mmCIF file of all heavy atoms in Angstrom:
data_model
loop_
_atom_site.group_PDB
_atom_site.id
_atom_site.type_symbol
_atom_site.label_atom_id
_atom_site.label_comp_id
_atom_site.label_asym_id
_atom_site.label_seq_id
_atom_site.Cartn_x
_atom_site.Cartn_y
_atom_site.Cartn_z
ATOM 1 N N PHE A 138 -19.920 -29.433 3.293
ATOM 2 C CA PHE A 138 -21.007 -29.528 4.265
ATOM 3 C C PHE A 138 -20.700 -30.584 5.333
ATOM 4 O O PHE A 138 -21.062 -30.426 6.504
ATOM 5 C CB PHE A 138 -22.292 -29.900 3.563
ATOM 6 C CG PHE A 138 -22.724 -28.938 2.466
ATOM 7 C CD1 PHE A 138 -23.350 -29.365 1.336
ATOM 8 C CD2 PHE A 138 -22.431 -27.560 2.608
ATOM 9 C CE1 PHE A 138 -23.716 -28.459 0.355
ATOM 10 C CE2 PHE A 138 -22.789 -26.672 1.605
ATOM 11 C CZ PHE A 138 -23.404 -27.145 0.464
ATOM 12 N N THR A 139 -19.967 -31.615 4.950
ATOM 13 C CA THR A 139 -19.528 -32.636 5.924
ATOM 14 C C THR A 139 -18.553 -32.038 6.942
ATOM 15 O O THR A 139 -18.633 -32.290 8.152
ATOM 16 C CB THR A 139 -18.889 -33.832 5.219
ATOM 17 O OG1 THR A 139 -19.821 -34.381 4.277
ATOM 18 C CG2 THR A 139 -18.474 -34.901 6.214
ATOM 19 N N LEU A 140 -17.621 -31.206 6.447
ATOM 20 C CA LEU A 140 -16.675 -30.542 7.332
ATOM 21 C C LEU A 140 -17.355 -29.616 8.325
ATOM 22 O O LEU A 140 -16.907 -29.450 9.456
ATOM 23 C CB LEU A 140 -15.645 -29.771 6.518
ATOM 24 C CG LEU A 140 -14.594 -30.585 5.758
ATOM 25 C CD1 LEU A 140 -13.766 -29.658 4.883
ATOM 26 C CD2 LEU A 140 -13.695 -31.333 6.728
ATOM 27 N N LEU A 141 -18.495 -29.043 7.907
ATOM 28 C CA LEU A 141 -19.213 -28.150 8.775
ATOM 29 C C LEU A 141 -20.150 -28.888 9.751
ATOM 30 O O LEU A 141 -20.876 -28.253 10.527
ATOM 31 C CB LEU A 141 -20.067 -27.146 7.947
ATOM 32 C CG LEU A 141 -19.270 -26.080 7.196
ATOM 33 C CD1 LEU A 141 -20.177 -25.220 6.341
ATOM 34 C CD2 LEU A 141 -18.478 -25.199 8.157
ATOM 35 N N GLY A 142 -20.131 -30.213 9.647
ATOM 36 C CA GLY A 142 -20.912 -30.993 10.608
ATOM 37 C C GLY A 142 -22.188 -31.618 10.062
ATOM 38 O O GLY A 142 -22.950 -32.190 10.799
ATOM 39 N N GLY A 143 -22.385 -31.558 8.746
ATOM 40 C CA GLY A 143 -23.574 -32.139 8.152
ATOM 41 C C GLY A 143 -23.542 -33.673 8.145
ATOM 42 O O GLY A 143 -22.511 -34.267 7.804
ATOM 43 N N ARG A 144 -24.589 -34.300 8.578
ATOM 44 C CA ARG A 144 -24.670 -35.762 8.668
ATOM 45 C C ARG A 144 -26.046 -36.234 8.189
ATOM 46 O O ARG A 144 -27.034 -35.513 8.308
ATOM 47 C CB ARG A 144 -24.465 -36.239 10.101
ATOM 48 C CG ARG A 144 -23.095 -35.879 10.706
ATOM 49 C CD ARG A 144 -21.943 -36.663 10.071
ATOM 50 N NE ARG A 144 -20.686 -36.374 10.729
ATOM 51 C CZ ARG A 144 -19.877 -35.342 10.415
ATOM 52 N NH1 ARG A 144 -20.239 -34.527 9.442
ATOM 53 N NH2 ARG A 144 -18.745 -35.201 11.057
ATOM 54 N N GLU A 145 -26.088 -37.413 7.607
ATOM 55 C CA GLU A 145 -27.310 -38.124 7.262
ATOM 56 C C GLU A 145 -28.293 -37.242 6.521
ATOM 57 O O GLU A 145 -27.976 -36.657 5.510
ATOM 58 C CB GLU A 145 -27.916 -38.752 8.522
ATOM 59 C CG GLU A 145 -26.972 -39.738 9.203
ATOM 60 C CD GLU A 145 -27.523 -40.291 10.473
ATOM 61 O OE1 GLU A 145 -28.554 -39.781 10.979
ATOM 62 O OE2 GLU A 145 -26.922 -41.262 11.025
ATOM 63 N N ARG A 146 -29.526 -37.101 7.055
ATOM 64 C CA ARG A 146 -30.548 -36.389 6.306
ATOM 65 C C ARG A 146 -30.287 -34.877 6.173
ATOM 66 O O ARG A 146 -30.605 -34.277 5.163
ATOM 67 C CB ARG A 146 -31.929 -36.544 7.024
ATOM 68 C CG ARG A 146 -32.588 -37.931 6.800
ATOM 69 C CD ARG A 146 -34.004 -37.942 7.359
ATOM 70 N NE ARG A 146 -34.806 -36.895 6.736
ATOM 71 C CZ ARG A 146 -35.940 -36.433 7.277
ATOM 72 N NH1 ARG A 146 -36.343 -36.878 8.438
ATOM 73 N NH2 ARG A 146 -36.643 -35.531 6.650
ATOM 74 N N VAL A 147 -29.604 -34.313 7.176
ATOM 75 C CA VAL A 147 -29.258 -32.897 7.077
ATOM 76 C C VAL A 147 -28.296 -32.700 5.913
ATOM 77 O O VAL A 147 -28.431 -31.774 5.106
ATOM 78 C CB VAL A 147 -28.596 -32.409 8.387
ATOM 79 C CG1 VAL A 147 -28.007 -31.012 8.208
ATOM 80 C CG2 VAL A 147 -29.626 -32.415 9.520
ATOM 81 N N LEU A 148 -27.343 -33.580 5.763
ATOM 82 C CA LEU A 148 -26.374 -33.506 4.679
ATOM 83 C C LEU A 148 -27.070 -33.683 3.315
ATOM 84 O O LEU A 148 -26.771 -32.922 2.365
ATOM 85 C CB LEU A 148 -25.289 -34.574 4.846
ATOM 86 C CG LEU A 148 -24.212 -34.639 3.776
ATOM 87 C CD1 LEU A 148 -23.447 -33.358 3.705
ATOM 88 C CD2 LEU A 148 -23.264 -35.831 4.048
ATOM 89 N N GLU A 149 -27.990 -34.613 3.240
ATOM 90 C CA GLU A 149 -28.695 -34.847 1.968
ATOM 91 C C GLU A 149 -29.553 -33.630 1.573
ATOM 92 O O GLU A 149 -29.585 -33.261 0.406
ATOM 93 C CB GLU A 149 -29.567 -36.102 2.076
ATOM 94 C CG GLU A 149 -28.788 -37.386 2.267
ATOM 95 C CD GLU A 149 -27.736 -37.594 1.179
ATOM 96 O OE1 GLU A 149 -28.035 -37.309 0.001
ATOM 97 O OE2 GLU A 149 -26.615 -38.049 1.521
#
Side-chain angles (χ1 to χ4, degrees):
F138 304 144
T139 301
L140 287 173
L141 289 176
R144 299 290 184 273
E145 299 177 349
R146 283 188 59 199
V147 172
L148 179 61
E149 295 305 320

